[in-house]
Amino acid sequence: MRYCRSVAAILLGLAATHATADEVGCVTTTWKLIGANHKVCVEAFHDAKVPGVTCHVSQARTGGVSGSLGLAQDPSQFSLACRQTGPIALPAKLPDNEVVFSEDTSLVFKETRIVRMFDKANNTLVYLAISRKLIDGAPANSISTVPVMPWGAR
């Protein structure tokens, strides 16, 4: 029982550090006679530890009967764009790399993960989206950079 509580606390702590995404919209890519259509969806999220940064990620979503039931494995096809949307306030201790967003793309073994890094030499935030399989990983990736710039003062 104590072990279950510890695991639950760890999972809740991990979930709290990840941003939640808001769906911007979806576009049908293939019409399906039965079940949901295949589509590409765009979601927006804000970096929880770096105010002033918004990222948009587009991902392919599998339709059909298995997609409608949540049993399909979505393809590792996505794109990422992050921009400064307000004043950026870097925390005093920003980790070298940190997962800022993750979303399951299959029932059990696959996820899209977005990691933030900081390129100190160029004063630039780097966001890297990768597809992960718990078994062997996947090479699909996308990158976006946000230079840390003054905001609004002229």
Side-chain angles (χ1 to χ4, degrees):
M1 187 70 158
R2 183 179 295 166
Y3 173 76
C4 291
R5 286 186 201 154
S6 297
V7 170
I10 290 169
L11 290 175
L12 283 173
L14 287 173
T17 62
H18 296 275
T20 57
D22 296 318
E23 188 171 278
V24 174
C26 297
V27 175
T28 296
T29 58
T30 305
W31 184 80
K32 302 296 286 180
L33 181 61
I34 300 174
N37 294 331
H38 295 317
K39 55 190 171 184
V40 173
C41 294
V42 176
E43 296 176 312
F45 70 90
H46 303 281
D47 188 330
K49 288 193 179 173
V50 183
V53 174
T54 302
C55 294
H56 292 86
V57 61
S58 67
Q59 297 190 83
R61 301 280 165 84
T62 301
V65 174
S66 60
S68 296
L69 296 174
L71 303 174
Q73 178 169 298
D74 291 333
S76 297
Q77 298 171 345
F78 48 81
S79 183
L80 175 68
C82 299
R83 300 292 183 264
Q84 182 174 2
T85 55
I88 292 178
L90 294 176
K93 293 188 178 189
L94 193 63
D96 289 339
N97 67 53
E98 179 176 21
V99 175
V100 294
F101 178 79
S102 67
E103 185 170 80
D104 291 334
T105 52
S106 76
L107 189 59
V108 179
F109 294 113
K110 191 174 170 188
E111 71 175 332
T112 297
R113 182 179 287 182
I114 299 174
V115 178
R116 179 202 342 95
M117 299 174 232
F118 184 57
D119 176 359
K120 291 178 187 173
N122 295 297
N123 202 33
T124 300
L125 295 161
V126 178
Y127 292 85
L128 173 67
I130 58 172
S131 175
R132 282 185 37 95
K133 288 184 182 179
L134 296 180
I135 298 168
D136 63 1
N141 66 83
S142 182
I143 189 171
S144 186
T145 60
V146 179
V148 178
M149 307 279 285
W151 183 264
R154 292 184 191 227

